[in-house]
Amino acid sequence: MKKILSLCLIYLLTLIIEIGITANASTDDYNTFSEIMMNEGKLLSDYTDEEINELLPYVQKHKFGGPQVYANYENIAATYISNTLYSVENKGSTDVVYEIDIEIETSNKTTFKASGSLNGSLSKGSTKEGNKSEIAGKCGLEYSNTSETSVTETQQMKLVVEGNSRAIVYLTGNLSVTNGVAAIYALWIKLSEGGFEIVTLQNQYSRVEKRTI
């Protein structure tokens, strides 16, 4: 009788494990990624104030209106690792199965970021999106406020964690990075200046790593 009860408990526990859980994490904001590996160059967040100041002379030629742009790095290919979605450890001797849902980015998303007084100019006012589009255009890129919206889909995964092992599930993918400095002018007067960065998320997919414990 005790043996039958034990088997029933094990069966019920297995059912509970296999029901799994759902991931509800933001996976399309590159500012939250745990790691971005660029073929060359660096992210705007890694520039020092001194490095920005060394680049600003490239955008000091006054113009009637609009942005002056200097791209320090253009369309640099990069890969990324997002935050870990799941980390599951199985200290037993038999396999454990999880049914999990993962949100995957299914369309490109372009993000525009700025620093210094340029950030203020590009975050308010009726011409903010036009200036962003013009800066992007001078770098050979397309940008509009609608590109800020991306589409995600939920994918189901059966995760098998073998005995005495740990499974880690995370999202990875490719993106491109363009950054440099820009200044905004109106009637030959410089209104603002600073660094800018345009990052395009190109694709995203899940990856599983397993390690023995």
Side-chain angles (χ1 to χ4, degrees):
M1 186 66 179
K2 292 183 178 180
K3 185 176 182 181
I4 294 175
L5 288 174
S6 298
L7 290 173
C8 289
L9 288 173
I10 292 173
Y11 176 72
L12 289 173
L13 180 60
T14 302
L15 288 178
I16 293 171
I17 291 173
E18 289 184 343
I19 290 172
I21 52 179
T22 301
N24 294 308
S26 176
T27 59
D28 59 3
D29 182 1
Y30 81 99
N31 294 293
T32 67
F33 291 166
S34 60
E35 189 173 4
I36 295 178
M37 294 76 71
M38 300 174 63
N39 290 342
E40 60 177 304
K42 61 172 68 176
L43 294 174
L44 180 62
S45 59
D46 294 326
Y47 280 76
T48 64
D49 291 340
E50 290 75 16
E51 289 173 325
I52 293 294
N53 290 334
E54 288 176 0
L55 297 175
L56 286 176
Y58 289 103
V59 293
Q60 299 306 309
K61 184 179 180 180
H62 289 243
K63 59 184 297 185
F64 178 75
Q68 283 276 0
V69 179
Y70 175 76
N72 197 33
Y73 297 104
E74 291 189 65
N75 292 316
I76 303 301
T79 58
Y80 69 88
I81 297 175
S82 77
N83 295 331
T84 299
L85 300 180
Y86 299 97
S87 180
V88 184
E89 190 174 271
N90 180 10
K91 295 183 178 180
S93 58
T94 58
D95 296 352
V96 179
V97 179
Y98 293 84
E99 296 287 347
I100 60 178
D101 292 336
I102 299 176
E103 287 189 349
I104 303 291
E105 187 76 15
T106 57
S107 64
N108 291 354
K109 177 180 179 180
T110 299
T111 302
F112 198 111
K113 182 179 180 180
S115 66
S117 58
L118 180 66
N119 182 45
S121 295
L122 297 180
S123 60
K124 61 183 178 181
S126 59
T127 62
K128 63 177 183 177
E129 297 301 336
N131 284 327
K132 288 181 180 180
S133 297
E134 189 171 349
I135 291 173
K138 291 180 180 294
C139 299
L141 302 171
E142 292 186 5
Y143 176 83
S144 67
N145 59 345
T146 57
S147 65
E148 292 289 345
T149 301
S150 57
V151 179
T152 60
E153 64 175 355
T154 300
Q155 297 183 359
Q156 292 186 333
M157 173 189 291
K158 177 177 286 188
L159 178 62
V160 180
V161 186
E162 291 79 5
N164 298 310
S165 68
R166 176 187 292 113
I168 299 172
V169 182
Y170 60 90
L171 294 182
T172 185
N174 301 284
L175 49 77
S176 64
V177 180
T178 295
N179 58 38
V181 293
I184 305 295
Y185 292 87
L187 300 176
W188 310 105
I189 298 174
K190 182 173 64 178
L191 302 179
S192 61
E193 62 184 10
F196 74 91
E197 183 164 77
I198 304 169
V199 173
T200 299
L201 183 70
Q202 297 171 333
N203 55 50
Q204 191 173 89
Y205 52 91
S206 60
R207 176 170 291 177
V208 179
E209 286 189 6
K210 296 182 180 180
R211 305 170 185 171
T212 302
I213 57 175

